[in-house]
Amino acid sequence: MTQNIQLSQSGQPRVLLAVTAHPDDESFGMGGTLALYARRGVAVHLICATRGEVGEAREEFIRGYDSVAELREAELACAAKALGLAGVHLLNYRDSGMANTADNTHPRALAAQPVGVVADEILELIRLLKPQVVATFDPIGGYHHPDHIAIHRATLEAFHAAGNPARGKRPIWRPNKLYFHTMPHGYLRMAVKILPLFGKDPRKFGSNGDIDLTAIAATRFPTHAAIDTRSVRQIQDAAAACHASQGGREMAHGLRAWLSRLFNMRDTFMREFPKPAAGEAIEKDLFAGI
Ligand SMILES: [Zn+2]
């Protein structure tokens, strides 16, 4: 399908850059937003810092691949195609696993790297890709995953450093806006109430039982932008289904999908830059004013 390329008010092609940590973050998180802008003709790029080496996958999924990393890279390529991404840029760090596991101390573990080192790589890609809008995890990394928090910090630093001529190699580029994708608070609170009715512990959520929904629901970030993703729901489901080894098919079809459809028909974001003015209305478009 050919697309008209969207131009910003200054005549530049519109570019959205999402920065995440693992293959599947792009689909399970702000996938609807990425698909929506790709469909509108925005060049949507993804930086993914690791290959999700620590993700568990059953034998049936690994067959035909040399490693979990190779399998997950293939799943990411599938999802990128479904979402209509213009490019995927891997940073070659290693999945650090959840907090307090041995994988945290691997020499290439993302969460063990100095923030500035990861930021330097992201800032060079910002300068190369020239996004007006950059989006990444919120300050608690969605659900306290150490890699998500590492990427949040590195992206925040890179966003501001990309415009600093004293740093980096490529010519500077100053993106207009930085957003943090936030978990849908109402959905979380509802999930904490509903899951016990199905015999599930909200403090041990997810296929590895390592997500504490009760703790996540206790943090509430402001919503500065809300993107209605209902029109691309099927695309998002197709992208999630690409991550079959990580439960993507169940995400697209099961109880969780039903819950998320009921409470999560939009992606919510907190705007870090520029800081919202007092009383500013919630944006419906990440490119508003660009
Ligand atoms: Zn992740």
Side-chain angles (χ1 to χ4, degrees), residues 4-263:
N4 292 324
I5 294 174
Q6 270 206 6
L7 299 180
S8 69
Q9 288 171 6
S10 61
Q12 292 269 358
R14 279 185 166 179
V15 180
L16 169 60
L17 174 63
V19 192
T20 62
H22 313 109
D24 78 10
D25 293 334
E26 81 298 331
S27 298
F28 296 159
M30 54 180 131
T33 298
L34 303 186
L36 190 73
Y37 282 102
R39 209 173 68 167
R40 288 181 184 171
V42 173
V44 180
H45 284 268
L46 172 73
I47 294 176
C48 183
T50 78
R51 289 176 169 75
E53 293 83 352
V54 177
E56 286 179 22
R58 290 200 305 272
E59 178 60 34
E60 62 186 279
F61 291 115
I62 300 175
R63 215 168 289 141
Y65 295 96
D66 286 340
S67 62
V68 171
E70 200 180 276
L71 158 70
R72 298 199 63 189
E73 199 175 333
E75 290 181 338
L76 176 56
C78 169
K81 194 173 173 205
L83 295 171
L85 302 189
V88 175
H89 311 269
L90 290 162
L91 294 189
N92 284 319
Y93 291 103
R94 189 175 186 276
D95 188 342
S96 314
M98 286 304 284
N100 307 315
T101 57
D103 294 298
N104 295 173
T105 56
H106 188 282
R108 289 294 296 163
L110 175 60
Q113 309 303 314
V115 175
V117 171
V118 183
D120 277 338
E121 290 202 51
I122 297 170
L123 91 84
E124 291 299 343
L125 283 165
I126 288 175
R127 290 175 178 183
L128 177 73
L129 300 168
K130 299 180 169 54
Q132 291 87 7
V133 176
V134 178
T136 190
F137 300 105
D138 65 30
I140 61 163
Y143 50 90
H144 300 281
H145 193 298
D147 284 339
H148 294 189
I149 295 169
I151 283 299
H152 164 84
R153 291 177 181 156
T155 304
L156 177 60
E157 183 173 318
F159 179 87
H160 294 293
N164 177 2
R167 196 157 160 188
K169 300 189 187 83
R170 295 191 173 101
I172 62 161
W173 175 259
R174 291 195 178 96
N176 302 61
K177 289 172 152 186
L178 175 61
Y179 288 96
F180 300 149
H181 175 248
T182 53
M183 301 284 272
H185 195 254
Y187 163 53
L188 279 168
R189 286 184 45 190
M190 196 60 75
V192 166
K193 282 186 190 147
I194 286 180
L195 284 167
L197 306 178
F198 290 87
K200 297 192 192 293
D201 184 350
R203 283 161 300 185
K204 295 193 171 88
F205 192 65
S207 47
N208 301 325
D210 53 9
I211 299 174
D212 183 347
L213 291 181
T214 310
I216 303 163
T219 310
R220 182 167 201 171
F221 294 110
T223 296
H224 300 133
I227 308 302
D228 186 334
T229 57
R230 282 175 291 183
S231 65
V232 289
R233 179 61 73 190
Q234 284 177 320
I235 298 175
Q236 198 180 1
D237 283 352
C242 287
H243 296 288
S245 76
Q246 304 302 307
R249 287 194 191 125
E250 295 77 14
M251 282 288 277
H253 299 293
L255 165 68
R256 289 159 78 178
W258 178 77
L259 277 173
S260 75
R261 254 166 239 228
L262 202 56
F263 301 108

Side-chain angles (χ1 to χ4, degrees), residues 257-277:
W258 178 77
L259 277 173
S260 75
R261 254 166 239 228
L262 202 56
F263 301 108
N264 183 21
M265 295 180 292
R266 48 182 212 157
D267 285 346
T268 53
F269 296 87
M270 168 181 170
R271 200 175 77 208
E272 168 66 16
F273 185 89
K275 296 282 187 199

